[in-house]
Amino acid sequence: MALGLMINTQLFAASMAPVQSSRGMVVSAQHLASKVGVEILKKGGNSVDAAVAVAYALAVVYPAAGNLGGGGFMTLKLEDGRETFLDFREKAPLAATKGMFLDPEGQVIKSLSTRGHLAVGVPGTVSGLEYARKKYGTMSRQALMDPAVKLAQNGFVLEAGDVEMLHVATEDFKKDPEAKDIFLKKGKPFEVGDRLVQKQLAKTLKRIQHQGVEDFYIGQTAKSISISSLENGGIITTQDLRQYQTREMRPIGCNYRAYRILSAPPPSSGGVTICEILKILEPYPLNEWGFHSAKSLHYQIEAIRRAYVDRNTSLGDPEFHDNPIDYLLSPSHLDHLRSSIDPVIATPSAQLMPAGMVQEGENTTHFSVIDSFGNAVSMTYTLNDWFGARVVAKGTGILLNNEMDDFTIKLGVVNQFQLLQGRVNQIEPSKRPLSSMSPTIVLKNDQIVMVLGTPGGSRIITAVLQTLINTIDYDMTIQEAVDAPRFHHQWVPDVVFAEDYALPPDAKEQLEASGYTIKPSRLANHMAAIMVGGARLSEVKPQSRLYFGANDPRRNTGLALGQ
Ligand code: GLY
């Protein structure tokens, strides 16, 4: 506070003004984790240091999605101009097989890919955080993990939002003896004002603090994860953990109007799909058509529907599959998709079903960080479902992911996000499942103007997309853009999911007359966004280091905090 300017003035009527700072900014899904990040920035750490500390802290104070036992992605834009991307997504264990979640008749065994140890992919988070810290950070592991160790050791007082999250998994916690001891209070759900202490997790964090990745991937933690897995129906061996490596790659980039979008490449579908939708929409005057007018909604939904067909059928882990990214973003493919949109009538999703594709029938966390030097980190990581597979590796306090469900478990069968996915995302040993996570950074003339991302499974892509459109086409402040009601479509199911007030009544009526099925949407996202140089893009001053943070009001645990 003493060093930086931090104001929270009410500039606009529709939304709160974004939180403003002339130094760094952290926006995360849990207020204690945002504070940890800002403390690291105050100590002189850069945004990678702050991101690593926030990620370890979230593993303690946001156990639904913050994690050691999951995986994720980090998009970076450094003040020296470098752009890069870290992939520490979970991998299928070496013993995984295409049909591992099917019974002898070839039918999906209910809940096997979503609950319990067989649902767990080999975790990547600790590898990713250490990779980022060593290559791009400036501070010691000791310093960056200290806040998380203290929060686990001493506990923290649960507020309403924390308790709401824990209650989501009460019945599953009761079934897992390790989870029960930690996340229930003598078998009963925690209440507001209780203190959540995680002694085992504190011990594990301390071991990682001293031994780094060696502990998690070779040492005691690796052994505990493997023993726990093999004793409880899982297949993760110490060899799986020993082999795990973070991958560094180029982010996906595309231009939309005057801006350059940097986002997640495969094994995420996020960057490619966001770019494909934006490029389909680029020739259309969305601003002139008006925010959420029937016409602008129609073209956005049709663009989204078409891009999700490509997402669901043609993207997968680049180590196993040659992703046709150039083709998907080529002018000829985009022209073809555009020309297939009827100006009035909704295209039935079944009409877009690729030959050979059959049809039977959110829970992640994101944070955005920027420092006073101009380094930006956009990071999304996850256990997949809230609290993942809802099992804890014995003796470690680590909740394990259920990322195996992001694979195509059986052709024609949807996953927990109702995504109908294709052959290229089928299970293979050591493969990473296709993701929707989209940690994104937006540039103008190579200057950072936005850092954003969100949880929400398949709804991540449409939430990031709409935040981009709200800021770029409609010039909303970053907070207005985050607050604005959202809609979602993902090709299958053929439904427009709309948050309250997302569709004005006359637009809704027109869309229904065009053939759309519209249903209410749950609040799936928790956007964490920062704008640089102004509260809205038309006010951005080049070279300005004023930061404007926006926390999504849809969940009441997060915080945008300036340095
Ligand atoms: N587990 C959600 C995703 O990666 O998209």
PDB file of all heavy atoms in Angstrom, residues 74-86 135-136 248-255 260-263 376 441-448:
ATOM      1  N   MET A  74       0.536 -22.581 -17.938  1.00  0.00           N
ATOM      2  CA  MET A  74       0.937 -21.206 -17.624  1.00  0.00           C
ATOM      3  C   MET A  74       1.335 -20.503 -18.922  1.00  0.00           C
ATOM      4  O   MET A  74       2.202 -20.989 -19.648  1.00  0.00           O
ATOM      5  CB  MET A  74       2.123 -21.245 -16.656  1.00  0.00           C
ATOM      6  CG  MET A  74       2.508 -19.919 -16.066  1.00  0.00           C
ATOM      7  SD  MET A  74       4.055 -20.010 -15.094  1.00  0.00           S
ATOM      8  CE  MET A  74       3.475 -20.524 -13.494  1.00  0.00           C
ATOM      9  N   THR A  75       0.668 -19.375 -19.210  1.00  0.00           N
ATOM     10  CA  THR A  75       1.056 -18.547 -20.357  1.00  0.00           C
ATOM     11  C   THR A  75       1.834 -17.356 -19.817  1.00  0.00           C
ATOM     12  O   THR A  75       1.392 -16.703 -18.864  1.00  0.00           O
ATOM     13  CB  THR A  75      -0.198 -18.053 -21.108  1.00  0.00           C
ATOM     14  OG1 THR A  75      -0.993 -19.186 -21.458  1.00  0.00           O
ATOM     15  CG2 THR A  75       0.168 -17.290 -22.369  1.00  0.00           C
ATOM     16  N   LEU A  76       2.998 -17.098 -20.407  1.00  0.00           N
ATOM     17  CA  LEU A  76       3.851 -16.015 -19.894  1.00  0.00           C
ATOM     18  C   LEU A  76       4.200 -15.023 -20.996  1.00  0.00           C
ATOM     19  O   LEU A  76       4.491 -15.425 -22.125  1.00  0.00           O
ATOM     20  CB  LEU A  76       5.185 -16.585 -19.376  1.00  0.00           C
ATOM     21  CG  LEU A  76       5.120 -17.508 -18.189  1.00  0.00           C
ATOM     22  CD1 LEU A  76       5.525 -18.897 -18.600  1.00  0.00           C
ATOM     23  CD2 LEU A  76       6.040 -17.022 -17.109  1.00  0.00           C
ATOM     24  N   LYS A  77       4.180 -13.749 -20.629  1.00  0.00           N
ATOM     25  CA  LYS A  77       4.722 -12.703 -21.494  1.00  0.00           C
ATOM     26  C   LYS A  77       5.671 -11.903 -20.615  1.00  0.00           C
ATOM     27  O   LYS A  77       5.258 -11.300 -19.616  1.00  0.00           O
ATOM     28  CB  LYS A  77       3.588 -11.821 -22.029  1.00  0.00           C
ATOM     29  CG  LYS A  77       4.058 -10.614 -22.798  1.00  0.00           C
ATOM     30  CD  LYS A  77       4.513 -10.952 -24.202  1.00  0.00           C
ATOM     31  CE  LYS A  77       4.992  -9.687 -24.931  1.00  0.00           C
ATOM     32  NZ  LYS A  77       5.654 -10.009 -26.205  1.00  0.00           N
ATOM     33  N   LEU A  78       6.955 -11.937 -20.965  1.00  0.00           N
ATOM     34  CA  LEU A  78       7.964 -11.330 -20.105  1.00  0.00           C
ATOM     35  C   LEU A  78       8.310  -9.918 -20.577  1.00  0.00           C
ATOM     36  O   LEU A  78       8.140  -9.579 -21.746  1.00  0.00           O
ATOM     37  CB  LEU A  78       9.210 -12.216 -20.077  1.00  0.00           C
ATOM     38  CG  LEU A  78       8.912 -13.657 -19.615  1.00  0.00           C
ATOM     39  CD1 LEU A  78      10.136 -14.528 -19.752  1.00  0.00           C
ATOM     40  CD2 LEU A  78       8.404 -13.662 -18.177  1.00  0.00           C
ATOM     41  N   GLU A  79       8.825  -9.123 -19.628  1.00  0.00           N
ATOM     42  CA  GLU A  79       9.061  -7.706 -19.962  1.00  0.00           C
ATOM     43  C   GLU A  79      10.114  -7.552 -21.058  1.00  0.00           C
ATOM     44  O   GLU A  79      10.138  -6.554 -21.759  1.00  0.00           O
ATOM     45  CB  GLU A  79       9.388  -6.871 -18.715  1.00  0.00           C
ATOM     46  CG  GLU A  79      10.485  -7.367 -17.806  1.00  0.00           C
ATOM     47  CD  GLU A  79      11.892  -7.021 -18.259  1.00  0.00           C
ATOM     48  OE1 GLU A  79      12.044  -6.013 -18.968  1.00  0.00           O
ATOM     49  OE2 GLU A  79      12.828  -7.756 -17.910  1.00  0.00           O
ATOM     50  N   ASP A  80      10.958  -8.599 -21.256  1.00  0.00           N
ATOM     51  CA  ASP A  80      11.944  -8.511 -22.345  1.00  0.00           C
ATOM     52  C   ASP A  80      11.349  -8.925 -23.693  1.00  0.00           C
ATOM     53  O   ASP A  80      12.053  -9.030 -24.686  1.00  0.00           O
ATOM     54  CB  ASP A  80      13.172  -9.362 -22.023  1.00  0.00           C
ATOM     55  CG  ASP A  80      12.834 -10.847 -21.889  1.00  0.00           C
ATOM     56  OD1 ASP A  80      11.705 -11.243 -22.228  1.00  0.00           O
ATOM     57  OD2 ASP A  80      13.707 -11.618 -21.453  1.00  0.00           O
ATOM     58  N   GLY A  81      10.036  -9.190 -23.716  1.00  0.00           N
ATOM     59  CA  GLY A  81       9.369  -9.489 -24.981  1.00  0.00           C
ATOM     60  C   GLY A  81       9.111 -10.974 -25.208  1.00  0.00           C
ATOM     61  O   GLY A  81       8.305 -11.326 -26.071  1.00  0.00           O
ATOM     62  N   ARG A  82       9.776 -11.861 -24.436  1.00  0.00           N
ATOM     63  CA  ARG A  82       9.579 -13.293 -24.675  1.00  0.00           C
ATOM     64  C   ARG A  82       8.145 -13.713 -24.357  1.00  0.00           C
ATOM     65  O   ARG A  82       7.538 -13.229 -23.413  1.00  0.00           O
ATOM     66  CB  ARG A  82      10.546 -14.113 -23.812  1.00  0.00           C
ATOM     67  CG  ARG A  82      11.924 -14.243 -24.419  1.00  0.00           C
ATOM     68  CD  ARG A  82      12.843 -15.031 -23.526  1.00  0.00           C
ATOM     69  NE  ARG A  82      13.079 -14.366 -22.244  1.00  0.00           N
ATOM     70  CZ  ARG A  82      13.690 -14.929 -21.208  1.00  0.00           C
ATOM     71  NH1 ARG A  82      14.097 -16.179 -21.289  1.00  0.00           N
ATOM     72  NH2 ARG A  82      13.891 -14.257 -20.088  1.00  0.00           N
ATOM     73  N   GLU A  83       7.640 -14.660 -25.177  1.00  0.00           N
ATOM     74  CA  GLU A  83       6.311 -15.253 -24.957  1.00  0.00           C
ATOM     75  C   GLU A  83       6.515 -16.743 -24.846  1.00  0.00           C
ATOM     76  O   GLU A  83       7.194 -17.331 -25.694  1.00  0.00           O
ATOM     77  CB  GLU A  83       5.413 -15.008 -26.181  1.00  0.00           C
ATOM     78  CG  GLU A  83       5.175 -13.568 -26.471  1.00  0.00           C
ATOM     79  CD  GLU A  83       4.616 -13.335 -27.877  1.00  0.00           C
ATOM     80  OE1 GLU A  83       4.442 -14.309 -28.647  1.00  0.00           O
ATOM     81  OE2 GLU A  83       4.360 -12.183 -28.194  1.00  0.00           O
ATOM     82  N   THR A  84       5.965 -17.366 -23.830  1.00  0.00           N
ATOM     83  CA  THR A  84       6.129 -18.807 -23.737  1.00  0.00           C
ATOM     84  C   THR A  84       4.954 -19.435 -22.996  1.00  0.00           C
ATOM     85  O   THR A  84       4.070 -18.732 -22.495  1.00  0.00           O
ATOM     86  CB  THR A  84       7.494 -19.155 -23.099  1.00  0.00           C
ATOM     87  OG1 THR A  84       7.742 -20.553 -23.262  1.00  0.00           O
ATOM     88  CG2 THR A  84       7.550 -18.807 -21.620  1.00  0.00           C
ATOM     89  N   PHE A  85       4.970 -20.767 -22.970  1.00  0.00           N
ATOM     90  CA  PHE A  85       3.837 -21.507 -22.407  1.00  0.00           C
ATOM     91  C   PHE A  85       4.363 -22.773 -21.742  1.00  0.00           C
ATOM     92  O   PHE A  85       5.174 -23.487 -22.331  1.00  0.00           O
ATOM     93  CB  PHE A  85       2.875 -21.878 -23.539  1.00  0.00           C
ATOM     94  CG  PHE A  85       1.682 -22.678 -23.092  1.00  0.00           C
ATOM     95  CD1 PHE A  85       0.575 -22.046 -22.546  1.00  0.00           C
ATOM     96  CD2 PHE A  85       1.676 -24.056 -23.206  1.00  0.00           C
ATOM     97  CE1 PHE A  85      -0.526 -22.794 -22.125  1.00  0.00           C
ATOM     98  CE2 PHE A  85       0.582 -24.805 -22.789  1.00  0.00           C
ATOM     99  CZ  PHE A  85      -0.522 -24.159 -22.250  1.00  0.00           C
ATOM    100  N   LEU A  86       3.904 -23.038 -20.543  1.00  0.00           N
ATOM    101  CA  LEU A  86       4.310 -24.254 -19.836  1.00  0.00           C
ATOM    102  C   LEU A  86       3.122 -25.194 -19.727  1.00  0.00           C
ATOM    103  O   LEU A  86       2.033 -24.788 -19.314  1.00  0.00           O
ATOM    104  CB  LEU A  86       4.837 -23.922 -18.432  1.00  0.00           C
ATOM    105  CG  LEU A  86       6.006 -22.934 -18.367  1.00  0.00           C
ATOM    106  CD1 LEU A  86       6.475 -22.766 -16.922  1.00  0.00           C
ATOM    107  CD2 LEU A  86       7.169 -23.380 -19.252  1.00  0.00           C
ATOM    108  N   LYS A 135      13.382 -21.385 -14.073  1.00  0.00           N
ATOM    109  CA  LYS A 135      13.735 -20.748 -15.345  1.00  0.00           C
ATOM    110  C   LYS A 135      13.345 -19.267 -15.394  1.00  0.00           C
ATOM    111  O   LYS A 135      14.064 -18.466 -15.984  1.00  0.00           O
ATOM    112  CB  LYS A 135      13.068 -21.513 -16.490  1.00  0.00           C
ATOM    113  CG  LYS A 135      13.527 -21.043 -17.846  1.00  0.00           C
ATOM    114  CD  LYS A 135      13.407 -22.094 -18.911  1.00  0.00           C
ATOM    115  CE  LYS A 135      13.881 -21.534 -20.251  1.00  0.00           C
ATOM    116  NZ  LYS A 135      13.525 -22.402 -21.357  1.00  0.00           N
ATOM    117  N   TYR A 136      12.240 -18.914 -14.764  1.00  0.00           N
ATOM    118  CA  TYR A 136      11.738 -17.543 -14.938  1.00  0.00           C
ATOM    119  C   TYR A 136      11.574 -16.776 -13.629  1.00  0.00           C
ATOM    120  O   TYR A 136      11.309 -15.573 -13.661  1.00  0.00           O
ATOM    121  CB  TYR A 136      10.396 -17.574 -15.685  1.00  0.00           C
ATOM    122  CG  TYR A 136      10.538 -18.143 -17.082  1.00  0.00           C
ATOM    123  CD1 TYR A 136      10.012 -19.399 -17.402  1.00  0.00           C
ATOM    124  CD2 TYR A 136      11.223 -17.437 -18.065  1.00  0.00           C
ATOM    125  CE1 TYR A 136      10.152 -19.937 -18.680  1.00  0.00           C
ATOM    126  CE2 TYR A 136      11.371 -17.962 -19.344  1.00  0.00           C
ATOM    127  CZ  TYR A 136      10.834 -19.205 -19.644  1.00  0.00           C
ATOM    128  OH  TYR A 136      10.993 -19.725 -20.904  1.00  0.00           O
ATOM    129  N   GLU A 248       7.724 -27.176 -22.383  1.00  0.00           N
ATOM    130  CA  GLU A 248       7.651 -25.747 -22.709  1.00  0.00           C
ATOM    131  C   GLU A 248       7.383 -25.616 -24.203  1.00  0.00           C
ATOM    132  O   GLU A 248       8.013 -26.297 -25.020  1.00  0.00           O
ATOM    133  CB  GLU A 248       8.961 -25.048 -22.346  1.00  0.00           C
ATOM    134  CG  GLU A 248       8.902 -23.566 -22.639  1.00  0.00           C
ATOM    135  CD  GLU A 248       9.923 -22.736 -21.871  1.00  0.00           C
ATOM    136  OE1 GLU A 248      10.822 -23.318 -21.242  1.00  0.00           O
ATOM    137  OE2 GLU A 248       9.805 -21.490 -21.910  1.00  0.00           O
ATOM    138  N   MET A 249       6.433 -24.802 -24.578  1.00  0.00           N
ATOM    139  CA  MET A 249       6.091 -24.669 -25.990  1.00  0.00           C
ATOM    140  C   MET A 249       5.671 -23.228 -26.308  1.00  0.00           C
ATOM    141  O   MET A 249       5.607 -22.387 -25.411  1.00  0.00           O
ATOM    142  CB  MET A 249       5.011 -25.677 -26.381  1.00  0.00           C
ATOM    143  CG  MET A 249       3.919 -25.893 -25.356  1.00  0.00           C
ATOM    144  SD  MET A 249       2.695 -27.082 -25.895  1.00  0.00           S
ATOM    145  CE  MET A 249       3.339 -28.609 -25.366  1.00  0.00           C
ATOM    146  N   ARG A 250       5.382 -23.004 -27.586  1.00  0.00           N
ATOM    147  CA  ARG A 250       4.928 -21.670 -27.982  1.00  0.00           C
ATOM    148  C   ARG A 250       3.430 -21.548 -27.738  1.00  0.00           C
ATOM    149  O   ARG A 250       2.678 -22.465 -28.076  1.00  0.00           O
ATOM    150  CB  ARG A 250       5.186 -21.465 -29.476  1.00  0.00           C
ATOM    151  CG  ARG A 250       6.641 -21.201 -29.826  1.00  0.00           C
ATOM    152  CD  ARG A 250       6.867 -21.515 -31.293  1.00  0.00           C
ATOM    153  NE  ARG A 250       6.054 -20.640 -32.123  1.00  0.00           N
ATOM    154  CZ  ARG A 250       6.456 -19.453 -32.554  1.00  0.00           C
ATOM    155  NH1 ARG A 250       7.663 -19.017 -32.243  1.00  0.00           N
ATOM    156  NH2 ARG A 250       5.682 -18.696 -33.299  1.00  0.00           N
ATOM    157  N   PRO A 251       2.988 -20.423 -27.190  1.00  0.00           N
ATOM    158  CA  PRO A 251       1.534 -20.250 -27.070  1.00  0.00           C
ATOM    159  C   PRO A 251       0.906 -20.148 -28.460  1.00  0.00           C
ATOM    160  O   PRO A 251       1.601 -19.851 -29.434  1.00  0.00           O
ATOM    161  CB  PRO A 251       1.380 -18.922 -26.326  1.00  0.00           C
ATOM    162  CG  PRO A 251       2.717 -18.334 -26.153  1.00  0.00           C
ATOM    163  CD  PRO A 251       3.750 -19.262 -26.711  1.00  0.00           C
ATOM    164  N   ILE A 252      -0.397 -20.385 -28.532  1.00  0.00           N
ATOM    165  CA  ILE A 252      -1.139 -20.118 -29.769  1.00  0.00           C
ATOM    166  C   ILE A 252      -1.329 -18.605 -29.884  1.00  0.00           C
ATOM    167  O   ILE A 252      -1.664 -17.957 -28.887  1.00  0.00           O
ATOM    168  CB  ILE A 252      -2.533 -20.791 -29.696  1.00  0.00           C
ATOM    169  CG1 ILE A 252      -2.406 -22.293 -29.833  1.00  0.00           C
ATOM    170  CG2 ILE A 252      -3.497 -20.211 -30.730  1.00  0.00           C
ATOM    171  CD1 ILE A 252      -2.063 -22.756 -31.229  1.00  0.00           C
ATOM    172  N   GLY A 253      -1.130 -18.070 -31.048  1.00  0.00           N
ATOM    173  CA  GLY A 253      -1.334 -16.630 -31.235  1.00  0.00           C
ATOM    174  C   GLY A 253      -2.239 -16.365 -32.425  1.00  0.00           C
ATOM    175  O   GLY A 253      -2.186 -17.079 -33.421  1.00  0.00           O
ATOM    176  N   CYS A 254      -3.101 -15.352 -32.285  1.00  0.00           N
ATOM    177  CA  CYS A 254      -3.883 -14.919 -33.449  1.00  0.00           C
ATOM    178  C   CYS A 254      -4.221 -13.439 -33.260  1.00  0.00           C
ATOM    179  O   CYS A 254      -4.192 -12.921 -32.140  1.00  0.00           O
ATOM    180  CB  CYS A 254      -5.168 -15.737 -33.602  1.00  0.00           C
ATOM    181  SG  CYS A 254      -6.328 -15.562 -32.239  1.00  0.00           S
ATOM    182  N   ASN A 255      -4.524 -12.777 -34.366  1.00  0.00           N
ATOM    183  CA  ASN A 255      -4.912 -11.365 -34.286  1.00  0.00           C
ATOM    184  C   ASN A 255      -6.423 -11.259 -34.349  1.00  0.00           C
ATOM    185  O   ASN A 255      -7.069 -11.959 -35.142  1.00  0.00           O
ATOM    186  CB  ASN A 255      -4.298 -10.584 -35.447  1.00  0.00           C
ATOM    187  CG  ASN A 255      -2.782 -10.595 -35.355  1.00  0.00           C
ATOM    188  OD1 ASN A 255      -2.214 -10.534 -34.265  1.00  0.00           O
ATOM    189  ND2 ASN A 255      -2.121 -10.707 -36.481  1.00  0.00           N
ATOM    190  N   ARG A 260      -3.587  -8.755 -30.338  1.00  0.00           N
ATOM    191  CA  ARG A 260      -3.005 -10.083 -30.514  1.00  0.00           C
ATOM    192  C   ARG A 260      -3.344 -10.915 -29.283  1.00  0.00           C
ATOM    193  O   ARG A 260      -3.111 -10.495 -28.146  1.00  0.00           O
ATOM    194  CB  ARG A 260      -1.487  -9.961 -30.684  1.00  0.00           C
ATOM    195  CG  ARG A 260      -0.807 -11.283 -30.885  1.00  0.00           C
ATOM    196  CD  ARG A 260       0.500 -11.168 -31.653  1.00  0.00           C
ATOM    197  NE  ARG A 260       1.118 -12.488 -31.805  1.00  0.00           N
ATOM    198  CZ  ARG A 260       0.718 -13.397 -32.699  1.00  0.00           C
ATOM    199  NH1 ARG A 260      -0.261 -13.137 -33.526  1.00  0.00           N
ATOM    200  NH2 ARG A 260       1.313 -14.577 -32.763  1.00  0.00           N
ATOM    201  N   ILE A 261      -3.919 -12.086 -29.531  1.00  0.00           N
ATOM    202  CA  ILE A 261      -4.344 -12.974 -28.442  1.00  0.00           C
ATOM    203  C   ILE A 261      -3.290 -14.064 -28.307  1.00  0.00           C
ATOM    204  O   ILE A 261      -2.952 -14.729 -29.294  1.00  0.00           O
ATOM    205  CB  ILE A 261      -5.705 -13.646 -28.776  1.00  0.00           C
ATOM    206  CG1 ILE A 261      -6.715 -12.662 -29.371  1.00  0.00           C
ATOM    207  CG2 ILE A 261      -6.262 -14.410 -27.572  1.00  0.00           C
ATOM    208  CD1 ILE A 261      -7.168 -11.542 -28.504  1.00  0.00           C
ATOM    209  N   LEU A 262      -2.787 -14.287 -27.090  1.00  0.00           N
ATOM    210  CA  LEU A 262      -1.869 -15.399 -26.815  1.00  0.00           C
ATOM    211  C   LEU A 262      -2.593 -16.336 -25.862  1.00  0.00           C
ATOM    212  O   LEU A 262      -3.056 -15.896 -24.802  1.00  0.00           O
ATOM    213  CB  LEU A 262      -0.614 -14.919 -26.094  1.00  0.00           C
ATOM    214  CG  LEU A 262       0.362 -14.018 -26.823  1.00  0.00           C
ATOM    215  CD1 LEU A 262       1.522 -13.696 -25.887  1.00  0.00           C
ATOM    216  CD2 LEU A 262       0.880 -14.722 -28.079  1.00  0.00           C
ATOM    217  N   SER A 263      -2.674 -17.607 -26.211  1.00  0.00           N
ATOM    218  CA  SER A 263      -3.376 -18.517 -25.301  1.00  0.00           C
ATOM    219  C   SER A 263      -2.802 -19.928 -25.405  1.00  0.00           C
ATOM    220  O   SER A 263      -1.740 -20.138 -26.002  1.00  0.00           O
ATOM    221  CB  SER A 263      -4.882 -18.462 -25.572  1.00  0.00           C
ATOM    222  OG  SER A 263      -5.585 -19.059 -24.503  1.00  0.00           O
ATOM    223  N   ALA A 376       3.961 -10.758 -17.155  1.00  0.00           N
ATOM    224  CA  ALA A 376       2.594 -11.218 -16.885  1.00  0.00           C
ATOM    225  C   ALA A 376       2.539 -12.737 -16.879  1.00  0.00           C
ATOM    226  O   ALA A 376       3.173 -13.398 -17.705  1.00  0.00           O
ATOM    227  CB  ALA A 376       1.642 -10.688 -17.945  1.00  0.00           C
ATOM    228  N   ILE A 441      -3.309 -14.042 -22.612  1.00  0.00           N
ATOM    229  CA  ILE A 441      -2.725 -12.693 -22.486  1.00  0.00           C
ATOM    230  C   ILE A 441      -3.007 -11.973 -23.797  1.00  0.00           C
ATOM    231  O   ILE A 441      -2.880 -12.569 -24.870  1.00  0.00           O
ATOM    232  CB  ILE A 441      -1.202 -12.788 -22.201  1.00  0.00           C
ATOM    233  CG1 ILE A 441      -0.963 -13.469 -20.830  1.00  0.00           C
ATOM    234  CG2 ILE A 441      -0.545 -11.407 -22.231  1.00  0.00           C
ATOM    235  CD1 ILE A 441       0.488 -13.722 -20.479  1.00  0.00           C
ATOM    236  N   VAL A 442      -3.419 -10.701 -23.703  1.00  0.00           N
ATOM    237  CA  VAL A 442      -3.750  -9.935 -24.913  1.00  0.00           C
ATOM    238  C   VAL A 442      -2.746  -8.790 -25.056  1.00  0.00           C
ATOM    239  O   VAL A 442      -2.420  -8.106 -24.075  1.00  0.00           O
ATOM    240  CB  VAL A 442      -5.188  -9.368 -24.818  1.00  0.00           C
ATOM    241  CG1 VAL A 442      -5.551  -8.621 -26.097  1.00  0.00           C
ATOM    242  CG2 VAL A 442      -6.184 -10.495 -24.557  1.00  0.00           C
ATOM    243  N   LEU A 443      -2.278  -8.608 -26.278  1.00  0.00           N
ATOM    244  CA  LEU A 443      -1.273  -7.575 -26.559  1.00  0.00           C
ATOM    245  C   LEU A 443      -1.815  -6.581 -27.572  1.00  0.00           C
ATOM    246  O   LEU A 443      -2.640  -6.933 -28.417  1.00  0.00           O
ATOM    247  CB  LEU A 443      -0.018  -8.215 -27.159  1.00  0.00           C
ATOM    248  CG  LEU A 443       0.566  -9.447 -26.464  1.00  0.00           C
ATOM    249  CD1 LEU A 443       1.695 -10.022 -27.287  1.00  0.00           C
ATOM    250  CD2 LEU A 443       1.058  -9.096 -25.063  1.00  0.00           C
ATOM    251  N   LYS A 444      -1.300  -5.353 -27.490  1.00  0.00           N
ATOM    252  CA  LYS A 444      -1.516  -4.397 -28.581  1.00  0.00           C
ATOM    253  C   LYS A 444      -0.156  -3.769 -28.865  1.00  0.00           C
ATOM    254  O   LYS A 444       0.490  -3.264 -27.939  1.00  0.00           O
ATOM    255  CB  LYS A 444      -2.537  -3.329 -28.176  1.00  0.00           C
ATOM    256  CG  LYS A 444      -2.866  -2.441 -29.352  1.00  0.00           C
ATOM    257  CD  LYS A 444      -4.003  -1.482 -29.049  1.00  0.00           C
ATOM    258  CE  LYS A 444      -4.355  -0.730 -30.329  1.00  0.00           C
ATOM    259  NZ  LYS A 444      -5.273   0.344 -30.077  1.00  0.00           N
ATOM    260  N   ASN A 445       0.271  -3.826 -30.082  1.00  0.00           N
ATOM    261  CA  ASN A 445       1.616  -3.356 -30.451  1.00  0.00           C
ATOM    262  C   ASN A 445       2.673  -3.953 -29.518  1.00  0.00           C
ATOM    263  O   ASN A 445       3.553  -3.246 -29.034  1.00  0.00           O
ATOM    264  CB  ASN A 445       1.687  -1.828 -30.414  1.00  0.00           C
ATOM    265  CG  ASN A 445       0.693  -1.206 -31.364  1.00  0.00           C
ATOM    266  OD1 ASN A 445       0.398  -1.787 -32.415  1.00  0.00           O
ATOM    267  ND2 ASN A 445       0.139  -0.061 -30.997  1.00  0.00           N
ATOM    268  N   ASP A 446       2.537  -5.214 -29.244  1.00  0.00           N
ATOM    269  CA  ASP A 446       3.458  -5.983 -28.391  1.00  0.00           C
ATOM    270  C   ASP A 446       3.461  -5.552 -26.913  1.00  0.00           C
ATOM    271  O   ASP A 446       4.289  -6.001 -26.131  1.00  0.00           O
ATOM    272  CB  ASP A 446       4.882  -5.964 -28.963  1.00  0.00           C
ATOM    273  CG  ASP A 446       5.623  -7.244 -28.590  1.00  0.00           C
ATOM    274  OD1 ASP A 446       4.973  -8.311 -28.601  1.00  0.00           O
ATOM    275  OD2 ASP A 446       6.818  -7.179 -28.255  1.00  0.00           O
ATOM    276  N   GLN A 447       2.552  -4.682 -26.518  1.00  0.00           N
ATOM    277  CA  GLN A 447       2.411  -4.311 -25.096  1.00  0.00           C
ATOM    278  C   GLN A 447       1.267  -5.124 -24.494  1.00  0.00           C
ATOM    279  O   GLN A 447       0.222  -5.273 -25.144  1.00  0.00           O
ATOM    280  CB  GLN A 447       2.039  -2.833 -24.944  1.00  0.00           C
ATOM    281  CG  GLN A 447       3.004  -1.856 -25.561  1.00  0.00           C
ATOM    282  CD  GLN A 447       4.224  -1.667 -24.684  1.00  0.00           C
ATOM    283  OE1 GLN A 447       4.084  -1.429 -23.485  1.00  0.00           O
ATOM    284  NE2 GLN A 447       5.397  -1.793 -25.263  1.00  0.00           N
ATOM    285  N   ILE A 448       1.448  -5.576 -23.252  1.00  0.00           N
ATOM    286  CA  ILE A 448       0.373  -6.334 -22.601  1.00  0.00           C
ATOM    287  C   ILE A 448      -0.782  -5.392 -22.286  1.00  0.00           C
ATOM    288  O   ILE A 448      -0.580  -4.342 -21.663  1.00  0.00           O
ATOM    289  CB  ILE A 448       0.874  -6.957 -21.280  1.00  0.00           C
ATOM    290  CG1 ILE A 448       2.037  -7.915 -21.563  1.00  0.00           C
ATOM    291  CG2 ILE A 448      -0.249  -7.682 -20.547  1.00  0.00           C
ATOM    292  CD1 ILE A 448       2.819  -8.296 -20.337  1.00  0.00           C
TER     293      ILE A 448
END
